[in-house]
Amino acid sequence: MPDSASGLGLHFTLDAHRGSFHLQVECRFTAAWTVIFGPSGSGKSTLLRLLAGLDEPTQGRVTLGAQILTDTRHSIHVKPGERHTGMVSQHPALFPHLSAAQNVAYGIRTLDHAARARRVEEMLELAGATELAALRPADLSGGQAQRVALARALAPRPCLLLLDEPFSALDGTASDALIERLQVWLHANRLQSIMATHDASDALALGAEVLLLHEGRQAAMGPAAEVLAGERERLLERLQGEGRP
C-alpha cells in the first residue's frame, strides 16, 4: 500500500484524445489528499477515468508505488477491478436489485460471512448510511446513494480512492462532516485520495495539494492556499458582499 509520506504515491504521464478534447498532463501525487480543480470541461473526470482504468490513454504511463497500472508502450493496462482503486462518481452506479448493504458487500465476497458483515457495518457507519442498509437504490435520495457508493468503494480497502464531485447531492454541512470523517479514516488506514471538484471552497477547506487543470493542461500544482489564492479572494469578496445589508 502506498505511503504518502514515503514519496511513492501516484505518478502519471498521460496523453488522451476524446473527440476534439485533448488531455495532456504529467504529475506525481504524494500527498494524502489531492484535489484536481478546474471548471467544467477542463478534463477532471477524464483524468480520473484514466487513473481508474475505465478508459485507456492514447499514450501514457500510470504507476502506483512500484505497480505499473498503465503503460501503452508495453501494452500494459491493468483492469479497473485489479487496480486496488476505489472510485465514487457524481452519479452512483449502484446495483438496483441489491440493498444498500448488499451493494457494499459486493466487492468483498472473499471475506467470510462474519468479517464481511463487520466490514459492511463499518463502512456504512463511516458514510453516515447505517439506517439505509436495507433499502434499495430506488428508495434512496441522491445524497443517500452517494453515501452508499462511498461505503462500497471503501469496503475492499483500496490503495487509492478517486472521488469525482462525489458529494454534490449533499448540502454543505453534511458534505463537510462526511469529508472530515473520511479524512480521519483515510489517514488512519494510510490511503491516498484524489478528489475532482469545480468548487474552490472544497479544495481550500481540505488544505490539500491542488492540481489546477485548464483545457486539459496543468496550469499549476501546489498547496491550495497558493494555487487557489485568486479563487480564495473571490470567495471572500462574495461572502462579504452577501453579508452587507
Side-chain angles (χ1 to χ4, degrees):
M1 182 178 297
D3 178 359
S4 60
S6 71
L8 293 177
L10 181 73
H11 184 212
F12 55 90
T13 302
L14 292 167
D15 193 319
H17 294 266
R18 297 292 179 269
S20 61
F21 181 75
H22 183 198
L23 176 77
Q24 190 173 47
V25 62
E26 177 177 1
C27 252
R28 182 184 294 275
F29 291 162
T30 57
W33 194 293
T34 303
V35 170
I36 304 172
F37 178 80
S40 178
S42 61
K44 302 186 300 298
S45 295
T46 299
L47 177 53
L48 286 186
R49 288 183 63 84
L50 290 167
L51 296 177
L54 296 171
D55 293 333
E56 295 188 42
T58 308
Q59 295 180 2
R61 178 180 168 91
V62 180
T63 59
L64 181 61
Q67 184 185 14
I68 301 173
L69 301 180
T70 298
D71 190 335
T72 55
R73 181 176 296 181
H74 296 96
S75 300
I76 297 173
H77 184 75
V78 178
K79 296 178 181 179
E82 299 173 1
R83 291 189 172 218
H84 305 293
T85 297
M87 184 167 179
V88 184
S89 66
Q90 189 172 354
H91 305 289
L94 300 175
F95 298 113
H97 62 292
L98 300 179
S99 68
Q102 289 169 334
N103 265 279
V104 177
Y106 186 83
I108 52 173
R109 289 172 291 180
T110 56
L111 297 179
D112 64 46
H113 179 75
R116 189 163 62 248
R118 287 194 299 270
R119 182 74 59 82
V120 169
E121 183 179 5
E122 177 191 359
M123 295 301 96
L124 286 174
E125 182 178 2
L126 174 65
T130 302
E131 72 283 1
L132 307 175
L135 299 182
R136 292 194 176 187
D139 300 316
L140 302 176
S141 68
Q144 290 172 334
Q146 286 182 323
R147 290 178 183 274
V148 174
L150 174 63
R152 184 179 65 178
L154 290 172
R157 298 289 173 85
C159 295
L160 177 68
L161 178 65
L162 303 173
L163 304 168
D164 189 4
E165 306 275 5
F167 310 125
S168 57
L170 299 176
D171 64 43
T173 302
S175 176
D176 291 346
L178 178 53
I179 289 175
E180 185 175 345
R181 290 199 306 275
L182 180 58
Q183 281 190 299
V184 171
W185 189 88
L186 291 173
H187 178 74
N189 288 276
R190 301 171 68 82
L191 303 184
Q192 189 175 11
S193 181
I194 300 170
M195 183 172 80
T197 183
H198 66 276
D199 189 339
S201 61
D202 284 344
L204 290 164
L206 289 167
E209 287 286 304
V210 173
L211 167 63
L212 178 60
L213 283 183
H214 178 68
E215 296 181 351
R217 301 293 191 276
Q218 176 181 329
M221 178 78 189
E226 295 177 12
V227 174
L228 301 179
E231 295 290 338
R232 181 175 181 275
E233 291 302 319
R234 281 188 283 275
L235 282 170
L236 290 173
E237 289 174 2
R238 188 179 71 187
L239 290 172
Q240 290 168 356
E242 291 174 354
R244 296 190 187 105

